[in-house]
Amino acid sequence: MNPTYFDVLSLLAANGFGSLGVEIFGGEWGAPDKQVLVLEGVGTPSPLKDLYEQPGVQIIVRGDKGDRDIDVYVRAKAVSDFMLSQSDSIEINGVCYKGFEEGSNIAPLGKDDEERFNYSMNFITWRNR
């Protein structure tokens, strides 16, 4: 079974949020300014631990140098809306996920050292063991 971040990365890439290794990355930042980064997040213990695990995933959306804050927010909001719109039964890379719930609202992280705006969001999901 893949790490949750890899499955979410695959889902986002398959639905037009960027190409793997070009605009969308997993685990660590890539070279371009404008990109989406997907990280393994903090999950919660599952009360149905024999059937499901309840992992988390964090997604950070970064803008280009010179992008306005609102432009980066709009991109982050599109990612969040997409994640929350997933059905209660979606198969990603052979694993059944039970949709995605907001773990936190879209949060502004401000500008990084390169003057690029960043937004972060967290999701929790259920997936088959």
Side-chain angles (χ1 to χ4, degrees):
M1 186 178 317
N2 294 321
T4 308
Y5 86 86
F6 184 82
D7 289 343
V8 170
L9 181 72
S10 300
L11 178 67
L12 291 173
N15 285 277
F17 287 96
S19 299
L20 295 177
V22 179
E23 299 95 3
I24 186 166
F25 294 86
E28 63 183 330
W29 291 111
D33 288 338
K34 184 177 180 178
Q35 64 182 276
V36 174
L37 176 64
V38 184
L39 303 164
E40 200 70 15
V42 177
T44 57
S46 170
L48 303 171
K49 63 184 175 196
D50 293 334
L51 298 173
Y52 300 103
E53 58 184 7
Q54 204 170 0
V57 66
Q58 180 181 30
I59 301 173
I60 302 173
V61 176
R62 180 171 78 188
D64 276 327
K65 293 177 189 172
D67 277 353
R68 296 178 311 154
D69 179 53
I70 188 68
D71 297 328
V72 182
Y73 173 82
V74 167
R75 285 183 48 234
K77 178 76 167 115
V79 171
S80 178
D81 289 348
F82 172 77
M83 293 297 294
L84 294 173
S85 74
Q86 297 308 299
S87 73
D88 290 344
S89 182
I90 181 172
E91 187 174 310
I92 310 170
N93 296 326
V95 177
C96 183
Y97 284 83
K98 302 296 182 188
F100 293 88
E101 297 176 17
E102 223 172 23
S104 71
N105 293 329
I106 300 170
L109 300 179
K111 288 184 177 180
D112 64 14
D113 293 342
E114 300 292 323
E115 296 295 308
R116 300 169 295 202
F117 284 102
N118 292 271
Y119 278 86
S120 174
M121 61 202 88
N122 294 284
F123 300 93
I124 297 171
T125 186
W126 295 79
R127 75 176 185 176
N128 288 349
R129 285 203 175 267

